[in-house]
Amino acid sequence: SLFGMALPELLTRIAIYLGFGVVTTTGMFYLFDQVKSLFQAQLTGLPADVLAMVGIMKLDMAFTLILSAAMTKTVINGWNKLTDTRSGRVWQKPGTGGTIGM
């Protein structure tokens, strides 16, 4: 049957996509952990006054926020590639083929 012939191909594609996703996500977690460790190592040699200013400005939280946003974007991009969803533009220039008002 057609379903029986398509099933192995589908399962193979799913396994490949999930494998790439796991490897990519694991690699990105490792990369971000290394960057975070490097950032923390660079801060340890600073004088106490500078560290106090870093604490007041909440630079550690800002850095963590930036890394978290980058990881979230990576996960969303991976999910979009896995599900083959492409986000198009929401806004269209008037007169370029939109269906509203026709």
Side-chain angles (χ1 to χ4, degrees):
S1 78
L2 182 60
F3 182 72
M5 292 180 350
L7 187 61
E9 175 70 22
L10 178 66
L11 292 176
T12 302
R13 285 184 177 261
I14 289 173
I16 289 172
Y17 289 143
L18 287 177
F20 284 143
V22 168
V23 169
T24 302
T25 304
T26 304
M28 293 303 290
F29 276 124
Y30 177 75
L31 176 69
F32 288 145
D33 283 341
Q34 293 298 318
V35 170
K36 187 177 176 182
S37 297
L38 178 67
F39 180 72
Q40 289 172 344
Q42 295 296 322
L43 288 178
T44 56
L46 294 176
D49 294 339
V50 175
L51 287 176
M53 290 300 293
V54 167
I56 290 172
M57 292 188 295
K58 306 276 187 195
L59 287 181
D60 56 338
M61 292 176 69
F63 186 73
T64 302
L65 181 67
I66 290 168
L67 284 180
S68 298
M71 178 55 79
T72 302
K73 179 157 178 51
T74 303
V75 169
I76 290 172
N77 286 343
W79 181 255
N80 286 342
K81 286 183 182 179
L82 175 68
T83 58
D84 197 29
T85 55
R86 295 181 180 96
S87 60
R89 291 186 192 172
V90 175
W91 183 83
Q92 291 183 354
K93 185 177 178 182
T96 59
T99 58
I100 297 176
M102 292 188 158

